[in-house]
Amino acid sequence: MIKIQVPARICFYGDHQDYLDLPVIAGAIDRFIHLWAIPNPKKEFVLELKDLGQEFSIVLNDDLAVVEPGDFFRSGMAVLKQHGYVFEEGYFIEISGNIPVNAGLSSSSALLVAWIRFLVTINGKADEVSDFQIGRWAYDAEVKFFNSPGGLMDQYTIAQKGLLFIDTKSGKSERLVGNMGKLLVAESGLAKKTLLVLKNANVFAKKAVASVKQAHPEFNLAEAVLGDYQRYGQFVPADFQDHWYATIHNYHITLQAKAELEKERPDLQKLGNLMNQHQQILQERIQNTPMEMAKMMDAARMAGAIGAKTIGSGGGGCMVAMVPENKITAVKKAFLATGAKKVYEVEIIS
């Protein structure tokens, strides 16, 4: 039997920065997708998605010429076929997990990473292919294959695990030695609006940067400093001012957090403050946070959370909070009292 376990992920700093080729800080956490597979005599993959109550088959001789949007199983096969992989033996495959769906913890990317690992394993190359390459192929299958607006953070973090500073332009990752302290994830119960939020934020941010580069072709976003917000702001149309602010300030917050997490004993209060600053920008500038979730996070901070923010693209889904050990119970109660459906502790895993 083939057994594969793949984690969820949290972006702590740098949300809505990866499509601008700016860095992010993200970590893999101990919520998982599990895949079990045994050979079958059929020339097909027979899949059972336990949590969704779905069963379907993929015949091995499918030419994959037409792949419906969101069919990551076939897109994953198509991507690997482009790299010489073949699928000759059928399998019964069962998939389940404890990552909430459509909630910001990247259940879809985790599922796809598990699938890519399975396809690599049945080709006898599990020991030859790097985690980086697994992440790359998962990104190709989820984003590039469908020309979607997302970045590469989810797939690269899930495949490589740990707490990472990711250069989203190259995909190069740097492992951070610091920790985030005690972490709580709260499920809001509100469905995310991933594609709508991502599309708007992506388009507006890119237009803001393009307007600056049109006036000053020498401007390099990767070398931007806080003063550039004021220096070039006059060249940004009013409709894109909020996203111009978010681009420059979130980048600065991410770099500050990186400097702190490069230390073996980071200042958790400083990291919490940076998380709150990041959330304020997401909430007020990118406008990705429903009022209900904002109230939940305010209550969590009042109960003792050091920092709190939405997870993922926004519009709904989960929140993460940094919490002192002696405040865990109080913060859990605060989340639940203001409408959260579930709250649980998580750890970053390597």
Side-chain angles (χ1 to χ4, degrees):
M1 175 183 284
I2 296 172
K3 298 180 181 179
I4 293 171
Q5 175 178 275
V6 171
R9 74 93 188 92
I10 290 175
C11 179
F12 294 102
Y13 305 96
D15 285 287
H16 292 282
Q17 299 278 276
D18 52 352
Y19 47 71
L20 296 170
D21 292 335
L22 293 176
V24 299
I25 295 174
I29 62 168
D30 56 344
R31 306 287 287 192
F32 300 101
I33 290 289
H34 300 276
L35 183 153
W36 298 269
I38 57 174
N40 69 34
K42 305 178 180 182
K43 289 292 184 179
E44 60 185 19
F45 295 138
V46 181
L47 293 107
E48 181 180 5
L49 307 184
K50 298 283 287 186
D51 303 323
L52 300 179
Q54 297 178 3
E55 294 185 29
F56 59 94
S57 300
I58 302 174
V59 294
L60 301 188
N61 63 0
D62 187 333
D63 63 10
L64 305 173
V66 177
V67 178
E68 295 296 323
D71 186 347
F72 301 137
F73 292 101
R74 286 181 173 83
S75 67
M77 292 171 66
V79 166
L80 288 190
K81 276 192 171 184
Q82 293 170 6
H83 294 276
Y85 283 71
V86 295
F87 312 112
E88 298 177 334
E89 184 178 16
Y91 282 83
F92 292 117
I93 303 156
E94 181 179 298
I95 300 174
S96 65
N98 62 355
I99 306 175
V101 176
N102 194 31
L105 294 180
S106 267
S107 59
S108 60
S109 295
L111 176 61
L112 183 49
V113 170
W115 181 243
I116 296 293
R117 287 197 182 281
F118 165 71
L119 297 177
V120 168
T121 298
I122 64 175
N123 273 264
K125 297 185 178 181
D127 295 331
E128 301 175 21
V129 178
S130 69
D131 291 337
F132 177 90
Q133 185 62 67
I134 294 288
R136 181 70 196 187
W137 284 337
Y139 165 69
D140 288 345
E142 185 172 1
V143 178
K144 293 184 69 177
F145 189 90
F146 297 105
N147 195 29
S148 297
L152 54 74
M153 169 185 64
D154 297 353
Q155 303 82 10
Y156 279 48
T157 304
I158 291 166
Q160 296 178 96
K161 297 186 285 189
L163 183 63
L164 305 175
F165 176 84
I166 303 175
D167 176 346
T168 63
K169 186 173 184 178
S170 67
K172 181 179 178 181
S173 304
E174 176 183 339
R175 294 195 176 273
L176 300 170
V177 298
N179 68 76
M180 302 290 296
K182 296 292 182 179
L183 299 171
L184 292 179
V185 165
E187 297 180 17
S188 71
L190 303 174
K192 289 196 308 136
K193 301 173 183 176
T194 301
L195 293 181
L196 177 61
V197 173
L198 270 179
K199 182 179 180 181
N200 290 342
N202 186 325
V203 170
F204 289 177
K206 286 180 176 178
K207 285 187 175 181
V209 174
S211 63
V212 171
K213 289 186 69 68
Q214 184 175 8
H216 287 271
E218 76 283 1
F219 175 73
N220 183 353
L221 183 57
E223 298 174 358
V225 295
L226 272 183
D228 289 340
Y229 168 67
Q230 294 286 355
R231 186 173 299 113
Y232 299 111
Q234 61 182 306
F235 305 108
V236 178
D239 287 348
F240 312 135
Q241 280 288 336
D242 280 341
H243 288 77
W244 172 241
Y245 182 97
T247 296
I248 298 299
H249 286 78
N250 278 341
Y251 184 25
H252 180 65
I253 287 169
T254 302
L255 295 181
Q256 286 184 291
K258 175 180 183 282
E260 200 60 37
L261 286 165
E262 288 175 330
K263 305 172 184 177
E264 290 189 7
R265 295 184 178 180
D267 183 336
L268 295 183
Q269 189 63 57
K270 182 174 182 179
L271 289 172
N273 290 338
L274 290 170
M275 181 177 285
N276 290 331
Q277 292 173 36
H278 185 27
Q279 173 56 35
Q280 185 175 7
I281 293 171
L282 295 173
Q283 192 169 314
E284 297 178 0
R285 302 289 180 161
I286 295 179
Q287 298 181 13
N288 79 335
T289 307
M291 184 180 300
E292 299 94 327
M293 292 176 69
K295 289 180 179 178
M296 294 177 202
M297 287 183 284
D298 286 342
R301 296 186 194 98
M302 289 291 291
I306 301 170
K309 66 176 288 293
T310 57
I311 301 173
S313 57
C318 290
M319 300 154 281
V320 63
M322 296 175 60
V323 185
E325 190 160 6
N326 65 345
K327 298 291 185 180
I328 290 175
T329 299
V331 174
K332 283 183 178 180
K333 289 181 178 179
F335 270 126
L336 293 169
T338 49
K341 304 307 178 185
K342 292 183 182 178
V343 187
Y344 39 84
E345 296 181 52
V346 297
E347 293 184 358
I348 296 171
I349 60 169
S350 299

